Amino acid sequence: MCTTCGCGNGETKIEGDGHEHVHADGTVHRHTHADDGNHPHGLGHEHEHRHADGTVHDHSHEHDAAHEHGSEHDHFHHHGHVHEGGTPHHHEHDHVHVMPDDSVVRHAHAHDGATDLHYGQGPAHSHAPGLSQARMVQIEQDILSKNDRHARFNREFLAERGIFAVNLVSSPGSGKTTLLTETIQRLQPTTPVTVIEGDQQTTNDADRIRATGARALQINTGKGCHLDASMVERALERLQPDENSVLFIENVGNLVCPAAFDLGEAHKVVVLSVTEGEDKPLKYPDMFRAASLMLLNKVDLLPYISFDVARCIEYARRINPEIEVMQVSATKGEGMDLWLNWVRLHAVTARHARNQQVASLKRRVAELEAKLATRA
Amino acid sequence: MHEMSLAEGILQIVEDTARANAAAQVRVVLLEIGALSHVEVQALRFCFDAVTRGTVANGARLDVQATPGRAWCMPCGESVALARLGEACPLCGGYQLHVTQGEEMKVKEVEVA
């Protein structure tokens, strides 16, 4: 199973890279792609599941509220356990324990949802030790903890090199790539720029970036809907961006999924074009909440369309009171100076932080050497 | 469909837990999902069933605790309920809200046997 999107096989491909599939059962297989990147996937690939006890099988199961667990300890719940949005509710359920000596213990629970939460009160969550072989293991781990580990690694990698990284997110067609090529052309005389391009397919965008002279690497996510931090980690290893440079990560065009995935960037910047409709911040709030800056692009088209800029900004700030907003036209150049200054300011800050760190490490080395000299 | 990625993340945590506890089977997985998080619970259930097939969590029940959203309203100086992003403060009708709760996406507990 692809870890990105759940397609039959993982199809993530980083330019020049081999290709690895990790299946749900932990088996891994690797292969490389032909240069054109086209190859059949998903069909005719079978693999079996092997259980700890050696049995091998493939099966499906229905998964509703009532089901059996095993001979020592069966329990039946008469309801599902979905509470959406904290809606107040009241429910009860019966609970049957079959003890190891075949005696049956039946009891009922009631929960009053109006008190908001019922952590650990449900019968499924509170089996006393010794009642059965089953035991609860407390974990309290973030679902995205693995991604976040990779993101932390990327963030350190970038900080050590004084690189300012921006994660550019938007729906398809907002003008991200044009904005990038125009930005690169203006930045490059003073600041080196590298780009990681995320798309489902093709190297078209990376090719457009490379035409500006900047180094770029394409990640094709296949069926995947977003970049994740481990993809970016692999791309960074391959790209080795210059110290004190600016890194743009152009995410897959998608206003939903990329919001959840930290790539190790300093900021997410959301690009919204005025041809898209001013209520997008309300329709896709997660992204506008995750972003530090909204670039309202294609403002040169405003005379020809009905788009209420003030209302759009108001909507964005309803979702995220701190979001900065800049109105730009990548093709006509309007507002680009403001955006470029934003990038330069943050790039200088990243460089400065790195220099500070190096200076403090040097001081520490000097102190330790002095200490060593007194003992020699 | 990032729910599939999330389901994979859950499976990984669950498999690590099962291994660490020498468990042959995972019966229940308890999640904490905030009302303001990036998760569509129905889609996540579907994906969870798909990715756990043939694993130690095959057939495991997925319990979801929904943590309600809360925010700090700057003008009111009070903590208020927030059902979803983009809604106004129920006290003053403003939007100077800073989310304080409801973005959780956690595996809280796993019942193993």
Side-chain angles (χ1 to χ4, degrees):
Chain A
M1 185 71 69
C2 171
T3 59
T4 306
C5 59
C7 60
N9 291 295
E11 296 183 16
T12 303
K13 181 189 158 206
I14 295 177
E15 272 185 302
D17 217 3
H19 193 64
E20 176 181 300
H21 297 287
V22 182
H23 292 280
D25 63 355
T27 57
V28 177
H29 71 256
R30 285 165 214 271
H31 62 100
T32 54
H33 291 268
D35 285 341
D36 67 357
N38 291 321
H39 66 291
H41 246 315
L43 292 172
H45 178 84
E46 293 173 1
H47 63 105
E48 62 197 17
H49 297 290
R50 193 176 293 276
H51 289 266
D53 63 0
T55 56
V56 177
H57 65 184
D58 182 24
H59 64 122
S60 61
H61 58 98
E62 292 299 316
H63 200 69
D64 56 18
H67 67 276
E68 296 188 15
H69 273 313
S71 54
E72 295 89 3
H73 175 175
D74 291 353
H75 52 223
F76 306 87
H77 296 270
H78 296 170
H79 66 95
H81 233 288
V82 193
H83 312 303
E84 308 243 307
T87 325
H89 64 281
H90 182 89
H91 61 187
E92 345 187 297
H93 52 205
D94 290 332
H95 199 66
V96 181
H97 294 283
V98 183
M99 308 306 286
D101 62 0
D102 286 329
S103 63
V104 173
V105 180
R106 185 185 293 268
H107 57 129
H109 298 265
H111 302 288
D112 191 347
T115 55
D116 273 351
L117 301 174
H118 48 272
Y119 294 162
Q121 291 169 17
H125 322 145
S126 58
H127 297 299
L131 267 182
S132 76
Q133 293 177 355
R135 59 203 187 278
M136 297 305 300
V137 184
Q138 302 274 339
I139 303 181
E140 295 285 347
Q141 200 176 337
D142 278 346
I143 292 172
L144 286 171
S145 55
K146 189 183 166 206
N147 182 74
D148 293 345
R149 270 199 303 279
H150 286 285
R152 261 199 306 281
F153 176 89
N154 294 346
R155 196 161 274 125
E156 276 168 29
F157 177 100
L158 296 163
E160 281 166 9
R161 289 159 182 78
I163 299 167
F164 173 56
V166 173
N167 180 359
L168 273 177
V169 291
S170 82
S171 38
S174 67
K176 276 198 304 294
T177 312
T178 303
L179 181 84
L180 257 186
T181 56
E182 293 299 322
T183 302
I184 291 166
Q185 271 159 6
R186 288 164 166 87
L187 273 182
Q188 251 184 341
T190 53
T191 315
V193 179
T194 40
V195 177
I196 295 173
E197 275 290 339
D199 280 300
Q200 284 199 319
Q201 293 187 29
T202 80
T203 60
N204 293 356
D205 281 359
D207 295 342
R208 281 173 68 188
I209 300 294
R210 284 190 279 254
T212 67
R215 290 197 298 131
L217 189 82
Q218 183 79 46
I219 300 176
N220 283 143
T221 57
K223 303 292 178 208
C225 50
H226 59 269
L227 294 176
D228 67 35
S230 74
M231 295 176 195
V232 171
E233 184 182 325
R234 284 160 67 195
L236 285 174
E237 276 166 23
R238 193 166 288 273
L239 259 180
Q240 292 295 330
D242 294 337
E243 291 189 353
N244 302 326
S245 64
V246 172
L247 171 74
F248 290 107
I249 304 166
E250 187 181 337
N251 219 313
V252 179
N254 176 347
L255 266 184
V256 184
C257 308
F261 293 83
D262 182 9
L263 305 180
E265 73 275 354
H267 293 287
K268 282 191 178 75
V269 172
V270 61
V271 183
L272 178 63
S273 62
V274 299
T275 51
E276 292 177 68
E278 64 233 358
D279 57 352
K280 278 232 167 137
L282 297 184
K283 286 177 171 170
Y284 302 96
D286 289 350
M287 192 62 90
F288 290 85
R289 174 157 160 71
S292 324
L293 169 64
M294 172 170 85
L295 291 177
L296 207 48
N297 194 20
K298 306 188 189 177
V299 291
D300 55 300
L301 299 178
L302 281 173
Y304 313 106
I305 53 174
S306 76
F307 182 95
D308 189 333
V309 171
R311 181 167 291 174
C312 178
I313 295 172
E314 188 215 320
Y315 287 159
R317 295 223 162 108
R318 276 191 196 179
I319 302 299
N320 180 355
E322 275 114 48
I323 197 165
E324 285 186 70
V325 181
M326 293 176 190
Q327 299 181 46
V328 299
S329 163
T331 52
K332 299 289 187 285
E334 198 180 331
M336 287 296 279
D337 284 344
L338 200 59
W339 154 239
L340 288 165
N341 284 340
W342 186 90
V343 174
R344 287 195 190 103
L345 179 69
H346 284 90
V348 167
T349 309
R351 205 176 305 158
H352 184 66
R354 185 235 182 195
N355 290 342
Q356 296 271 72
Q357 177 122 42
V358 170
S360 114
L361 284 172
K362 279 185 179 161
R363 269 199 305 279
R364 178 139 176 75
V365 168
E367 279 167 22
L368 289 171
E369 277 176 349
K371 208 181 222 177
L372 188 65
T374 62
R375 297 192 184 180
Chain B
M1 273 300 281
H2 60 285
E3 277 76 9
M4 196 50 97
S5 293
L6 300 180
E8 286 281 0
I10 294 166
L11 177 62
Q12 196 143 28
I13 293 167
V14 166
E15 284 183 325
D16 289 348
T17 307
R19 211 171 297 124
N21 288 276
Q25 197 198 357
V26 173
R27 293 178 170 182
V28 181
V29 176
L30 174 63
L31 305 181
E32 179 182 6
I33 302 292
L36 310 176
S37 70
H38 311 269
V39 184
E40 176 50 47
V41 171
Q42 286 311 314
L44 185 62
R45 284 183 183 282
F46 178 84
C47 295
F48 179 78
D49 283 354
V51 301
T52 52
R53 214 162 281 167
T55 71
V56 69
N58 192 35
R61 198 179 74 236
L62 194 63
D63 281 357
V64 178
Q65 284 182 353
T67 309
R70 292 200 73 78
W72 181 260
C73 177
M74 301 289 278
C76 296
E78 280 201 48
S79 174
V80 296
L82 184 66
R84 63 182 66 83
L85 291 174
E87 290 206 339
C89 168
L91 303 177
C92 70
Y95 296 94
Q96 290 290 307
L97 298 170
H98 292 257
V99 173
T100 52
Q101 179 188 290
E103 297 188 293
E104 301 78 4
M105 292 195 287
K106 274 186 191 168
V107 181
K108 281 185 79 74
E109 295 177 1
V110 174
E111 185 181 309
V112 296

